Amino acid sequence: MAKSGGNRRSSAETRDRLVTAAGEALREEGRAGASARAIATRAGANSALVFYHFGGVDQLLLAALDRSSDERMRMYDELAGQARTLEELVEAATRIYRTDLERGYITEFSELVAAAVTQPELRPEIRTRAEPWIAFIERHWNRVLGGSALGRILPAREVANAAITYYLGVNLFSVLDEDHSRTEAVLDLAGAMAPRAKLLTLRLPGAGERRAEI
């Protein structure tokens, strides 16, 4: 029995190392460089274990994306939850972007999206993993701006789709924007515009009651 327990721990540790290595390879080398051999070498394991534990490289890379997504959701939900105004919401979004850029999370997600262009079987997997983030943006947008004039002009779903589009585009645009100055200029513009939209962020009379009825 003790030996069996030890084998289970060893197997779990190997899986954990492979998932960690897969995330690192994807962020640093891109999808093209994240082969079974490259990941296994980082993990100090045999490349055959990639297929034994996960069934293939793509499944392993998705597992790595799932792990980072779970970590980010816990961290960012708390951060965005502190926002009470449009200005604070824009500030939270900026901090999220900069953290994702610094830690390579933007690359991790967009590399798999790019892979899905030529691998249709990946598309439903990516869509499934994008939905919680669309819901995340919708939830916080509605919480802060629901019932306001701005909330009516810019519905939460469309804002969420635009944010995801921008998020993916940033990684591609980085080829032209190596020092991130252009991207930062867009974020600065959003920060500057937020206070000027103050009147539009006021909740309309009775809007809360109408939303509650819905």
Side-chain angles (χ1 to χ4, degrees), residues 86-87 90-91 94 184-196:
L86 176 60
E87 295 96 318
V90 170
E91 182 181 349
T94 300
E184 287 292 336
V186 174
L187 296 174
D188 289 344
L189 177 61
M193 292 295 294
R196 301 179 186 182

Side-chain angles (χ1 to χ4, degrees), residues 83-98 141 144-145 150 186-195:
R84 294 293 180 269
T85 65
L86 176 60
E87 295 96 318
E88 291 174 353
L89 202 57
V90 170
E91 182 181 349
T94 300
R95 288 179 61 186
I96 288 171
Y97 159 73
R98 287 173 177 160
W141 182 264
V144 175
L145 297 165
L150 186 61
V186 174
L187 296 174
D188 289 344
L189 177 61
M193 292 295 294

Side-chain angles (χ1 to χ4, degrees), residues 1 11 18 28 32 42 48 55 61 84 89 97 116 121 131 135 156 164 195-196 199 203 206 209:
M1 292 296 292
S11 179
L18 286 170
E28 296 172 15
R42 284 174 178 265
L61 294 175
R84 294 293 180 269
L89 202 57
Y97 159 73
E121 67 277 9
E131 278 301 323
I164 295 295
R196 301 179 186 182
L199 286 177
R203 292 181 183 274
E209 289 78 359

Side-chain angles (χ1 to χ4, degrees), residues 41-104:
T41 298
R42 284 174 178 265
N46 189 300
S47 60
L49 293 175
V50 169
F51 301 90
Y52 174 77
H53 287 292
F54 297 94
V57 174
D58 287 334
Q59 290 80 2
L60 172 54
L61 294 175
L62 289 170
L65 181 62
D66 288 339
R67 174 188 286 182
S68 64
S69 186
D70 288 343
E71 294 172 352
R72 292 170 61 234
M73 185 64 78
R74 288 193 297 271
M75 179 169 56
Y76 296 154
D77 203 32
E78 180 179 355
L79 172 62
Q82 298 171 7
R84 294 293 180 269
T85 65
L86 176 60
E87 295 96 318
E88 291 174 353
L89 202 57
V90 170
E91 182 181 349
T94 300
R95 288 179 61 186
I96 288 171
Y97 159 73
R98 287 173 177 160
T99 300
D100 277 2
L101 180 65
E102 178 184 343
R103 299 185 182 183

